Amino acid sequence: MSRPEDRDEPTGDLSIGKLALASLGSAAAVLLVATLVIVVLRPEPVIGLIVALAGVVGAIVAMGIVSKRMTRKAFGPGSK
């Protein structure tokens, strides 16, 4: 028997808590990677700033992607 999460049909079930944790978790992971790059490579200050800014932009993008995927999975691609 197929479970609802195995199908591409919307389930209509979206927990705001899960959405927040998943979004913030993805952003934290991106920021952690950016921090590790800066700590390990010890770049010049300008390069370090660029890496940090790229990490912030990457975190925002990751939050958007995760929240959009979770929302579309719950409500379908046609929902606004």
Side-chain angles (χ1 to χ4, degrees):
M1 181 144 205
S2 177
R3 298 185 314 210
E5 57 268 1
D6 291 339
R7 297 186 305 246
D8 288 336
E9 298 174 11
T11 61
D13 184 32
L14 179 66
S15 167
I16 299 299
K18 285 183 183 179
L19 178 64
L21 285 176
S23 295
L24 291 176
S26 65
V30 172
L31 291 174
L32 178 66
V33 169
T35 303
L36 289 175
V37 167
I38 292 172
V39 168
V40 170
L41 296 181
R42 296 189 188 265
E44 296 178 14
V46 174
I47 307 273
L49 180 61
I50 292 171
V51 171
L53 290 175
V56 170
V57 170
I60 293 169
V61 169
M63 288 174 65
I65 291 171
V66 168
S67 63
K68 183 178 275 191
R69 289 189 67 186
M70 288 182 72
T71 304
R72 284 189 175 170
K73 182 176 179 184
F75 299 114
S79 64
K80 293 184 180 182

